[in-house]
Amino acid sequence: MARRLKTPPQPKRNLDARKATILEAVVVEHIDTAQPVGSSSVAQSADLAVSPATVRTEMVALEREGYLAQPHTSAGRVPTDLGYRYFVDHLEAGILGSAQQKQIREFFAHVRGEVEDVLEQTSILLSHLTNYTSVVVGSGHSHASVLSVQLVNLDARHHLLVTVFSDGTVTKHSVLATFEASHVEVSEASRQLNALLIGTTLESKVQVPSRHDVVAKLVREAVAVLHAEMPTLEGEQVYIGGSSRVAEVFEGVETVRKVLGILEEELLVVSLVEDILDKGISVAIGSEHGYEPLSSCAVIVAPVSLEGETIGAVGLLGPTRMKYREVMAAAEAVSQHLTRHFGGDDPRA
Amino acid sequence: MARRLKTPPQPKRNLDARKATILEAVVVEHIDTAQPVGSSSVAQSADLAVSPATVRTEMVALEREGYLAQPHTSAGRVPTDLGYRYFVDHLEAGILGSAQQKQIREFFAHVRGEVEDVLEQTSILLSHLTNYTSVVVGSGHSHASVLSVQLVNLDARHHLLVTVFSDGTVTKHSVLATFEASHVEVSEASRQLNALLIGTTLESKVQVPSRHDVVAKLVREAVAVLHAEMPTLEGEQVYIGGSSRVAEVFEGVETVRKVLGILEEELLVVSLVEDILDKGISVAIGSEHGYEPLSSCAVIVAPVSLEGETIGAVGLLGPTRMKYREVMAAAEAVSQHLTRHFGGDDPRA
DNA sequence: TGTTAGCACTCGATTTTACCGAGTGCTAAC
DNA sequence: GTTAGCACTCGGTAAAATCGAGTGCTAACA
């Protein structure tokens, strides 16, 4: 409403020291209390030896410059998205509580199982750690190469194409043929598929046989089915932890509903996270990410990489007044542990 | 509170016609309006030509017998769980709106893809259909037999055991060896594993080689890893559709949080659904299912079967004042379509 | 005996009013 | 540039007033 000014009033990216201190004090207190912050409490809390009146004049300026807003006359000030942005940009890296450090270390010392399981568990860890909803994204295998394929026949016309990729993922695809094939033909097709596909990626062009016999038809069919998955974001894995936190952390049923609705759309979540990563930022506040229904949210992301390549990300979603310092530290720590976990001892599992 | 009487006062399972009509009227109206229902509106709506005063005396009786409750003196009546129970038990099978029938038909005419995808899509369909949160459960493959196994090596010590089951599911398990194995040894192990496991189920005892060479050790390791999954509910698939509905359908943040919290625990959801199925009922109201945090919910389930065997279930979760007739009809219809879908044209995919 | 009109009564929900006080903006003095 | 002082605003809370849906009871009625 009134908070969104027509002329985003020249956000000069630097505030003089006192303004900055005041802004920070407002943000910190508002994050803590969820209430508008008045001049006097700022005058006290921040260690600038200055009267509330002075703080007030500064606040007027900060409001004019778009960092603060007033819910109504004669209320305290509330940070705008821009205000949070400044706060976050000037945040010195937070340090994680030792209890949480321990929790993370223990977690990674004990996790077992497939990548998928680890990622899912991690999402739970993150939401426990922060009390916000977490998102863990593992990239698809578009760049991974095929290690092995196998065509298994279920009955005469239904076959299952099972593919193992170099990144340890396994996919299955039904192959429904219009013709019948014998066991022998299926295993021959399987053999040919292996010869054909091993070492290729889903992006590679493959020379399929053009013959008209059953085996060749099977092979063509299988390759087609496998490659059909390519274009979309398919293969991306998304794990959401602690979606129930949404209900505690946002006020207003409507907001809760909207946020939960978004979280249901996995594709959307993936692209949200990837968009943010692409922009090279680690926090998207309010409408910065451009997803309207999430305009009252802040999203924190941290990439997980393997050999220099980004193979996933962890994210946390909360209200714009979230505990940035702690949460960013947690995201950072977990993403590093994940990176190490996959890169270090055991790349794929 | 006052609603839970100490002596569940002899719920005689049969009410005379008039009481039944009144109870039904109360339930119907309360489901519709979410408000306590007064005697006069019942007197009007139900087609018993009787004055509000009479209705009132009957209501007193119904309350004494535990079917109705009063939020406070001088408010209307609200059904108790027992009231809903009676209502549901005496519900003639609802018939689905034709728009919805069409939606279901079109859905099943067009779904493609693996079982998992179909189940996931189905959960979305169900929640769209009913505006409640849906749960689709696919059973594990403890009874399915192995169609094919394959050991793929990622590097000298890490291998991936990929297993295809007769029900079309595919699992993968990391096999971490303490020793190195060559390509040749791995494929030999793979061959032996096939010979050993094909046709067995996860419950079968398998005679593993006791030799001490690399191949034998690999085989033993692989079998161990595969069979380790057995005891738990692992392999069960759960798909939850429309969890954001929780926020619209329940009032009170606290309830929403609790319900979402439950939905996060997949194992819990599975056992909830299976418990209800085991009891042979299709609706669990309030505390009937014994999961305390869900005491303000009703859960509707319908089994999905294949060749007489229950292979899964669909469920819907809403407040006790949910639209039983419509929702039960929807659950019924979808479960039948699913049954047909898997049983009829294509058992596995 | 079951039904009903009549009626006093209850009590939550809604509205009204009053009031408090945190917080503001402004001004004049320092 | 800073600050004390001050009048003013206005949301939040509490108390009071009001409303009315719905009740339980009783006495008359069929």
Side-chain angles (χ1 to χ4, degrees), chain B residues 220-295:
Chain B
R220 278 203 301 277
E221 189 69 29
V223 170
V225 167
L226 182 63
H227 281 199
E229 136 165 348
M230 236 281 294
T232 67
L233 286 169
E234 194 114 17
E236 301 278 353
Q237 309 144 5
V238 196
Y239 304 93
I240 291 179
S243 41
S244 67
R245 305 294 179 150
V246 173
E248 21 187 68
V249 138
F250 291 96
E251 56 245 27
V253 206
E254 192 44 30
T255 318
V256 173
R257 224 208 81 270
K258 272 201 288 192
V259 174
L260 285 176
I262 296 284
L263 289 177
E264 275 175 43
E265 313 248 1
E266 304 205 333
L267 286 187
L268 221 150
V269 173
V270 177
S271 46
L272 166 68
V273 170
E274 298 199 332
D275 282 2
I276 298 177
L277 277 183
D278 284 353
K279 287 190 196 147
I281 56 179
S282 60
V283 188
I285 298 164
S287 41
E288 287 178 355
H289 44 60
Y291 289 71
E292 196 280 315
L294 296 184
S295 56

Side-chain angles (χ1 to χ4, degrees), chain A residues 133-138 233 236-241 258-277 289 291 294 299 301 313-317:
Chain A
T133 303
S134 76
V135 173
V136 175
V137 178
L233 286 169
E236 301 278 353
Q237 309 145 4
V238 195
Y239 304 93
I240 291 178
K258 272 202 287 192
V259 175
L260 285 176
I262 296 283
L263 289 177
E264 275 175 40
E265 312 247 2
E266 305 206 332
L267 286 187
L268 220 151
V269 173
V270 177
S271 46
L272 166 69
V273 170
E274 297 199 332
D275 282 3
I276 297 177
L277 277 183
H289 45 58
Y291 289 71
L294 295 184
V299 184
V301 295
V314 303
L316 285 151
L317 186 151

